[in-house]
Amino acid sequence: GAGVSQSPSNKVTEKGKDVELRCDPISGHTALYWYRQRLGQGLEFLIYFQGNSAPDKSGLPSDRFSAERTGESVSTLTIQRTQQEDSAVYLCASSLSGYYQPQHFGDGTRLSIL
Amino acid sequence: SQQGEEDPQALSIQEGENATMNCSYKTSINNLQWYRQNSGRGLVHLILIRSNEREKHSGRLRVTLDTSKKSSSLLITASRAADTASYFCATALIQGAQKLVFGQGTRLTINP
């Protein structure tokens, strides 16, 4: 079946602009996660959704970052007033509920802030 | 700082040799997972080991977990060129176990 789909795959924008990143999880996966990966680094947790609610937003780096999920499906991550330090790959993952479920990742959105 | 730290940061071996990567973590965990990432792609789940398990196998992969030392190792036997990738360990904490905390990764290169 289809995997996790993210769009766009690449985004280049000017500092100060807003960007919106989209994630389509695997159908039936109630849990959805956003991570950020800087060049050559590991993944940094941003936010986790269970259904449409976000019980853990602890990783969002500032109030410029927000995310929502609708219909227990698509999620969007919005970054307002982008800054150069926001440049990174943003990865989305989804999983079934439960502690022992592996996460399935999309290929990410590579965001470059000029 | 990161919960997981991996060692070595980079590893280069000949095809057919075994590759061992290590991961250490700081706080008690619910489970530990290993993922592979090919360049420019997302992560692929390899194996999950629960905190009450000591060893797990999957094909050419063998994972061990020592909770007393807060460490894990991933062994890839009979390596192939296609195993070239970055490998990450990720820990699920006891509280908030659905959130994974990733290490910095080990970049593995298999030379033909």
Side-chain angles (χ1 to χ4, degrees):
Chain A
V4 176
S5 177
Q6 291 188 246
S7 61
S9 53
N10 284 283
K11 177 74 176 178
V12 181
T13 192
E14 293 180 347
K15 177 182 169 182
K17 301 284 189 184
D18 297 351
V19 295
E20 191 172 279
L21 313 180
R22 177 186 169 109
C23 173
D24 281 273
I26 292 173
S27 178
H29 281 191
T30 55
L32 185 147
Y33 315 80
W34 283 97
Y35 296 90
R36 179 168 70 179
Q37 185 177 31
R38 291 202 165 102
L39 186 64
Q41 302 294 309
L43 275 67
E44 177 187 2
F45 170 82
L46 298 178
I47 189 170
Y48 150 60
F49 286 92
Q50 180 59 46
N52 292 336
S53 63
D56 192 342
K57 306 179 184 180
S58 62
L60 293 178
S62 75
D63 59 7
R64 296 187 296 105
F65 288 71
S66 63
E68 66 175 19
R69 188 180 185 194
T70 56
E72 295 196 355
S73 179
V74 172
S75 175
T76 54
L77 176 69
T78 301
I79 309 173
Q80 295 178 309
R81 305 181 302 283
T82 52
Q83 300 179 4
Q84 288 187 331
E85 70 238 32
D86 300 333
S87 295
V89 176
Y90 290 82
L91 290 159
C92 174
S94 70
S95 75
L96 296 170
S97 290
Y99 287 162
Y100 304 112
Q101 299 297 332
Q103 294 185 16
H104 300 263
F105 283 81
D107 284 339
T109 293
R110 182 174 298 277
L111 178 63
S112 300
I113 310 299
L114 303 179
Chain B
S1 61
Q2 294 281 352
Q3 154 82 328
E5 294 187 2
E6 288 161 79
D7 170 56
Q9 290 187 348
L11 178 61
S12 181
I13 61 173
Q14 294 300 120
E15 195 167 19
E17 294 181 340
N18 296 340
T20 300
M21 289 159 271
N22 302 296
C23 169
S24 60
Y25 57 91
K26 297 174 183 173
T27 57
S28 296
I29 61 172
N30 175 284
N31 67 79
L32 185 145
Q33 304 179 31
W34 286 89
Y35 287 81
R36 184 187 75 225
Q37 184 179 37
N38 290 87
S39 181
R41 303 299 301 273
L43 279 71
V44 174
H45 180 263
L46 296 176
I47 200 162
L48 181 152
I49 186 165
R50 301 186 183 199
S51 60
N52 61 352
E53 296 176 315
R54 292 297 166 258
E55 187 170 312
K56 213 162 180 185
H57 297 255
S58 177
R60 293 184 295 112
L61 306 181
R62 171 177 169 255
V63 167
T64 62
L65 178 64
D66 186 335
T67 52
S68 66
K69 294 181 179 178
K70 293 187 168 56
S71 67
S72 174
S73 67
L74 169 67
L75 168 68
I76 304 174
T77 60
S79 63
R80 304 168 181 169
D83 295 329
T84 294
S86 290
Y87 291 81
F88 294 90
C89 72
T91 51
L93 304 182
I94 291 177
Q95 287 189 327
Q98 294 238 205
K99 177 176 92 176
L100 293 179
V101 182
F102 283 82
Q104 300 288 319
T106 293
R107 175 169 292 280
L108 175 65
T109 302
I110 308 299
N111 303 302

